[in-house]
Amino acid sequence: MTQDYQKMAEDYLDGNLSIKESRAFEKALTTEDAAAAFQTALVLREMLELESDVQVPKNLAIDISKQVQKELAKKEKKPKSLFAEVTGHILYGQSLILKGLSFKPRDMF
Amino acid sequence: MSGISSTDERNLVRLCRLDDRTAWDELVRRFTPLVYRIAYRMLNNTDDAADVSQETFIKVLESFDSFDASRTLAPWISKIVYHQCLKRLQSSRVKRTQSLEASDDISDATSAGPDSVILAKTEQEVLFEAMQELSAQDRALLHLRYKNDFTDVELGEVTGIPVNTIKTRIFRARTFLKQSLLPHFKKE
């Protein structure tokens, strides 16, 4: 029964019980077992919420920022895409060929 | 700089997409505590946690285009750090030094009188020791749930674990902690 109360207490605090189940649990809270289960669940939650925060190393964010800025700089230096660059050259070459083919002596005058 | 530090997340994401350097600094500043604390909870080692934090932000930068801007950043970044930690655990480079760093991590949990600080510290120490018995995955789940208020759905997104399994895992982890802490509760 204590196990049941423990699960009910957790579900109650998580809001997983229906209205009917919640009322039933609230009534059961007058019994010692249910009250103890509820109290334990509450204390544990409180402890987990109050668990002290791990200290973040002082300069960690600055160090990470430097690294991210380096990566950003690399990104900027990189050509947008090799594919785009090659395609550009090919198209430029083709345009020269086409120009050549369409060249007529009268264009000279 | 004051402008960017008060900007909302959506605008920050927009600026980061444009490779705005100040925006990236701000993103790192805002999310370093979250990233580092998840990493530390999972790896139990300050050096590894710092390394993984750095790796995480590089990964964030590389995959930023895949971030769905209609969502919030915290679960997405948490997912990246969580997976980086799993990788690190797999690579077994994590030294299993359950160091006494824990004591450094325990800050003044309360502003009450000295007696209650000592009591709070003791409780925290007991909790910390019990937490070490849990898997890294369960520690991450509890941390994200209780310290960052992540919902079950968000926890599912971060870990890739089905929501029902998350509920069971959290329930089991809490039951384990209760059992470990029970003798301590009874003493008081």
Side-chain angles (χ1 to χ4, degrees):
Chain A
M1 198 62 187
T2 311
Q3 280 281 14
D4 289 347
Y5 281 140
Q6 275 183 14
K7 177 142 180 38
M8 276 177 93
E10 296 292 357
D11 284 342
Y12 180 81
L13 290 169
D14 282 340
N16 290 334
L17 295 183
S18 66
I19 296 173
K20 207 176 162 187
E21 288 168 329
S22 297
R23 281 192 191 148
F25 181 67
E26 284 161 1
K27 268 189 186 173
L29 279 176
T30 50
T31 67
E32 207 174 299
D33 283 353
F38 189 61
Q39 185 61 22
T40 310
L42 271 179
V43 171
L44 178 66
R45 267 161 207 259
E46 208 169 286
M47 282 178 76
L48 286 168
E49 282 161 12
L50 289 174
E51 191 193 6
S52 52
D53 277 332
V54 174
Q55 294 284 323
V56 180
K58 239 185 178 180
N59 291 323
L60 183 64
I62 296 168
D63 293 343
I64 294 173
S65 265
K66 280 180 192 163
Q67 198 59 37
V68 167
Q69 294 297 339
K70 268 186 200 168
E71 293 298 318
L72 279 170
K74 271 190 215 166
K75 227 174 140 185
E76 280 168 12
K77 275 182 197 166
K78 258 190 208 167
K80 281 206 168 163
S81 107
L82 189 61
F83 175 78
E85 199 151 314
V86 170
T87 312
H89 285 302
I90 292 170
L91 288 175
Y92 180 69
Q94 271 184 342
S95 72
L96 286 179
I97 292 166
L98 286 171
K99 258 189 190 170
L101 287 176
S102 64
F103 177 79
K104 291 184 178 99
R106 66 160 190 242
D107 291 343
M108 290 177 69
F109 307 103
Chain B
M1 191 68 190
S2 61
I4 195 82
S5 62
S6 59
T7 194
D8 64 76
E9 195 172 293
R10 195 159 283 202
N11 194 38
L12 185 67
V13 169
R14 189 184 62 80
L15 292 170
C16 285
R17 279 211 201 287
L18 297 171
D19 289 344
D20 182 301
R21 285 163 172 259
T22 323
W24 274 102
D25 274 347
E26 175 59 18
L27 186 136
V28 170
R29 193 191 63 78
R30 275 190 206 181
F31 289 97
T32 295
L34 171 77
V35 167
Y36 180 80
R37 285 176 182 141
I38 295 172
Y40 182 79
R41 286 280 170 240
M42 289 186 76
L43 304 171
N44 276 328
N45 180 292
T46 52
D47 291 341
D48 283 315
D51 285 353
V52 164
S53 301
Q54 191 140 329
E55 289 164 15
T56 299
F57 280 102
I58 300 301
K59 200 96 183 161
V60 165
L61 174 67
E62 285 168 359
S63 49
F64 206 67
D65 287 340
S66 69
F67 171 65
D68 176 357
S70 65
R71 316 192 82 161
T72 49
L73 275 167
W76 186 70
I77 294 178
S78 301
K79 183 179 180 175
I80 296 177
V81 63
Y82 173 81
H83 287 281
Q84 290 297 115
C85 287
L86 289 185
K87 263 191 208 167
R88 175 79 47 146
L89 286 168
Q90 276 167 0
S91 74
S92 75
R93 276 162 61 199
V94 176
K95 304 142 208 151
R96 291 244 157 241
T97 45
Q98 307 291 329
S99 63
L100 292 170
E101 286 165 346
S103 56
D104 298 338
D105 299 330
I106 297 161
S107 61
D108 294 342
T110 161
S111 55
D115 287 346
S116 52
V117 172
I118 291 164
L119 189 66
K121 263 193 157 187
T122 313
E123 279 177 353
Q124 291 288 328
E125 278 167 359
V126 174
L127 179 65
F128 183 85
E129 278 168 22
M131 290 277 268
Q132 301 320 298
E133 301 291 320
L134 296 173
S135 69
Q137 206 175 33
D138 287 343
R139 284 200 300 270
L141 288 176
L142 289 177
H143 178 74
L144 290 169
R145 159 58 64 79
Y146 292 103
K147 297 295 287 184
N148 296 86
D149 294 326
F150 276 35
T151 62
D152 288 337
V153 176
E154 286 171 329
L155 289 174
E157 276 174 33
V158 170
T159 58
I161 300 172
V163 171
N164 280 336
T165 312
I166 290 208
K167 284 183 180 169
T168 312
R169 294 284 292 266
I170 288 181
F171 179 74
R172 279 188 199 155
R174 276 191 312 225
T175 307
F176 173 80
L177 289 180
K178 269 186 230 162
Q179 282 163 357
S180 309
L181 293 168
L182 222 51
H184 183 74
F185 288 154
K186 281 176 182 167
K187 254 188 255 171
E188 284 166 22

